[in-house]
Amino acid sequence: MRASLLQVAVNEGESVESRRRRVAGMVREQAGADLVVLPELWTTGAFAYEGFGREAEPLDGPTHEALAEAASDAGVWLHAGSVPERAPDGTLYNTSLVLSPSGETAAVYRKIHRFGFDKGEAVLMGAGDALVTVRLPHTTLGLATCYDLRFPELFRGLVDAGAETFVVPAGWPERRRSHWTLLARARAVENQAFVLACGTAGTHAGIPQAGHSIVVDPWGEVLAEAGPGEQVLTVDFDPKTVAGTRERFPALKDRVLGLDRPHR
Ligand SMILES: O=C(O)CCC(=O)C(=O)O
C-alpha cells in the first residue's frame, strides 16, 4: 500500500482560498497512491484562532467540494485533514473527512480532545464524542487528530473497533517536536499498528510548526520522516504486518480491561 502525507506549509501570507487551490493541486499529483493524508486545520492554521469562526464551513463546504473533485481526479482515498466545521446548530468542530476515490464522503471524525486548556480550540470548538474507523481495501483506518495523540485510551478504543492503521493529522508546534515523535512511536508499539502522522510546516499566529510528519510500523520502527518544510512524504508499507506482529508478539491479548476506571 502506498501512502502520501502532504506536509502543507501554513503561513499567513497565503489566503485560505489560494491554499485550498494549491492543496487540491498537490492531491491531484498523487495519482498512483492508495491513500493521501492532509494535516489538521490546514485552511486556517491550528493556532490561528481568529480564523476558526470566519472560515468555518459546513461538511459540504468549499474545502469538501475542492477535495472531493481532487480525490476523484487522482483516484485516491483521501484523508482530507481537518477544517473548522460549522454544524447546523452553529457549534464549531475540528472535523476530519475521509473521501473515497470517487469523491464520496466515507467518514467524518470530530476531534475528541480539544487543545488549548483555557483558550483557543478548547473554548471555541465543541468536542466530538464518537470513535471513527474506516474500512479501506487494504486496511482499516482509525482516526485521531493532533492532541488526541496524548490519550492512549482513544487508540485502544480504535483497536477494539478494528483499526490497523492510525491516521493522525496535526498542527504540532516545533517546541514540542520530541513529544510528537515519541508519542507517534508509542501509539504504534503499544497497539501494534501503523501510525501515519501528518503535520504542517510554516509559521502561523507566531507558532513555528514542527513538520517532521512520520510513518511508524507496528514494531515502532520509523519507516519515513519528513524534514521541517513543506514536503510530500511517500511510503510503501504492507498492512498485513499488523496481523503478523499481533500474532507473533500477542501482548494485546494480555490486556486487563477496566483499569482506567476508578477503584471501588
Ligand atoms: O499536544 C500538543 O503538544 C500539541 C497539540 C496541538 O497543537 C493541537 O491539538 O492542535
Side-chain angles (χ1 to χ4, degrees):
M1 174 169 178
R2 173 165 294 181
S4 288
L5 281 57
L6 308 191
Q7 180 172 286
V8 175
V10 180
N11 289 302
E12 272 143 15
E14 183 180 34
S15 72
V16 168
E17 184 41 40
S18 117
R19 188 155 44 250
R20 196 180 279 126
R21 263 200 311 275
R22 193 166 66 77
V23 168
M26 289 170 79
V27 170
R28 283 193 177 87
E29 285 166 14
Q30 307 314 313
D34 298 294
L35 173 66
V36 176
V37 181
L38 294 174
E40 179 190 31
L41 296 177
W42 57 269
T43 57
T44 54
F47 289 89
Y49 307 139
E50 77 292 342
F52 292 173
R54 193 181 61 236
E55 302 296 342
E57 32 182 311
L59 287 177
D60 59 354
T63 302
H64 169 268
E65 197 182 330
L67 293 183
E69 214 176 290
S72 110
D73 288 350
V76 296
W77 286 88
L78 175 62
H79 185 306
S82 71
V83 294
E85 176 207 349
R86 188 180 301 283
D89 69 358
T91 308
L92 302 184
Y93 292 98
N94 184 341
T95 302
S96 292
L97 287 178
V98 178
L99 303 167
S100 77
S102 53
E104 300 298 316
T105 299
V108 175
Y109 170 64
R110 288 174 169 164
K111 185 178 181 183
I112 291 176
H113 301 93
R114 294 161 299 165
F115 184 64
F117 309 112
D118 56 359
K119 61 178 187 326
E121 178 185 41
V123 294
L124 296 170
M125 288 181 166
D129 59 5
L131 295 181
V132 178
T133 58
V134 200
R135 183 69 207 153
L136 263 55
H138 304 79
T139 188
T140 299
L141 305 182
L143 307 190
T145 305
C146 203
Y147 188 47
D148 282 336
L149 196 56
R150 293 187 182 271
F151 299 88
E153 60 278 14
L154 166 60
F155 291 78
R156 277 287 151 90
L158 291 169
V159 165
D160 289 342
E164 299 167 332
T165 300
F166 300 126
V167 183
V168 189
W172 203 277
E174 165 59 22
R175 73 168 81 97
R176 293 187 294 282
R177 173 150 73 85
S178 62
H179 296 190
W180 163 251
T181 311
L182 180 69
L183 291 165
R185 294 190 68 188
R187 297 295 85 87
V189 175
E190 72 197 1
N191 297 296
Q192 304 181 305
F194 285 95
V195 170
L196 312 182
C198 180
T200 49
T203 297
H204 53 269
I207 311 284
Q209 295 293 290
H212 285 269
S213 297
I214 190 167
V215 177
V216 190
D217 78 6
W219 198 246
E221 299 298 331
V222 176
L223 299 184
E225 184 172 349
E230 182 162 291
Q231 187 176 333
V232 177
L233 186 69
T234 297
V235 65
D236 291 314
F237 65 100
D238 181 1
K240 288 200 280 302
T241 317
V242 172
T245 306
R246 290 178 182 175
E247 210 173 290
R248 278 194 307 280
F249 194 86
L252 283 174
K253 289 197 180 133
D254 284 336
R255 288 168 66 192
V256 176
L257 300 177
L259 294 178
D260 55 347
R261 307 220 169 82
H263 289 286
R264 270 183 270 229

